[in-house]
Each structure stands twice: as structure tokens, then as C-alpha cells.
Amino acid sequence: MAIQDITTESLRKMNNDEGLILQGCGGNLHEWLNGINQMLTEDGILLDGTKFEDIQKFQNGNSTCLLFPFNETVKIDMEKLVIWRIKTHEQFGGTWLSDYVPNKLGGFDKAETCDESMDEGMQGIT
């Protein structure tokens, strides 16, 4: 299991991604990763024996935050995760990546995506 350091600028470029952000994560980050995986497994949120393997750590002000990205390696019962996030918000400051970036970082980077670049290059072709 790996914990990668990223910047808030990197988060602003993740406009096509989603994940769970936990705020105020002090101490041993591997304990956070193991503890959250265990909690989500026990609550029936992580399915088929999957767990978060690779997460990302970033600083925003004095707060250490962890991003648990939703990707193809982890199977999640999203309905249960939504309820868990609401129930534990006071404890973990949990929010979605798509909410965190606009509300805490001023929004996603407006850089063009590959699809937009291709569409612009195709203009005038019939």
C-alpha cells in the first residue's frame, strides 16, 4: 500500500476523477489507510475483498488531508458510503473530491481535456 504526496494544484487537475477526501489526518498515515479500509469493510462498503491500496496525501494550510480515489481496483457500495460519509463528517471531515476542489481550492483547472482539443481540431471538417 502506497501513500503518494501530491499538491493542491494536482487536485485542481483531477476534474474527471472522484474520490473521498478526509481532512485533518494527523499521525501515522498508514494507520489511517488501514483503519479506514477496516472500517469500510466492516460496514459493508468495500466489496469483494477489495480495499484502497494507493491513496494520496496533501496539505491545505495546516491540515493534512487524504484522498481515497475511486478507481477500478476498489469496489464500493456507493449508497452505503454516502451514508457513512454523512455520519462520520464531524469526525473525519469527509467530503467528495468534486466538492472539495470548488469549495476549498477555487475550482478545477480550466485546462483543455483531450476530447475538447480533438473537437476544436475537427471544426470545419465535414
Side-chain angles (χ1 to χ4, degrees):
M1 290 192 270
I3 300 173
Q4 175 188 11
D5 283 309
I6 61 170
T7 65
T8 54
E9 278 306 306
S10 297
L11 286 174
R12 294 189 68 231
K13 294 178 184 352
M14 296 181 179
N15 53 342
N16 292 321
D17 298 325
E18 189 59 272
L20 174 67
I21 291 179
L22 301 183
Q23 304 175 68
C25 303
N28 183 323
L29 298 180
H30 286 283
E31 288 180 12
W32 275 93
L33 175 57
N34 292 333
I36 294 298
N37 274 327
Q38 182 178 349
M39 213 181 260
L40 296 178
T41 298
E42 289 172 358
D43 289 347
I45 295 167
L46 291 176
L47 305 173
D48 300 335
T50 64
K51 59 186 173 181
F52 288 99
E53 298 282 339
D54 300 316
I55 63 171
Q56 297 161 332
K57 175 192 92 141
F58 63 95
Q59 290 290 132
N60 192 5
N62 293 327
S63 183
T64 300
C65 303
L66 296 175
L67 169 61
F68 292 77
F70 302 156
N71 57 39
E72 65 280 347
T73 63
V74 63
K75 293 183 183 176
I76 301 168
D77 183 322
M78 286 305 291
E79 291 176 1
K80 288 182 180 179
L81 181 60
V82 168
I83 294 166
W84 181 89
R85 188 196 64 79
I86 292 168
K87 283 182 178 178
T88 63
H89 181 74
E90 210 170 296
Q91 182 179 7
F92 298 123
T95 188
W96 309 122
L97 174 64
S98 59
D99 288 335
Y100 187 88
V101 172
N103 292 309
K104 299 281 189 170
L105 303 178
F108 287 101
D109 189 352
K110 300 291 187 214
E112 293 182 29
T113 63
C114 292
D115 291 340
E116 290 169 347
S117 297
M118 289 178 63
D119 288 345
E120 288 177 12
M122 300 292 282
Q123 289 178 352
I125 299 175
T126 56

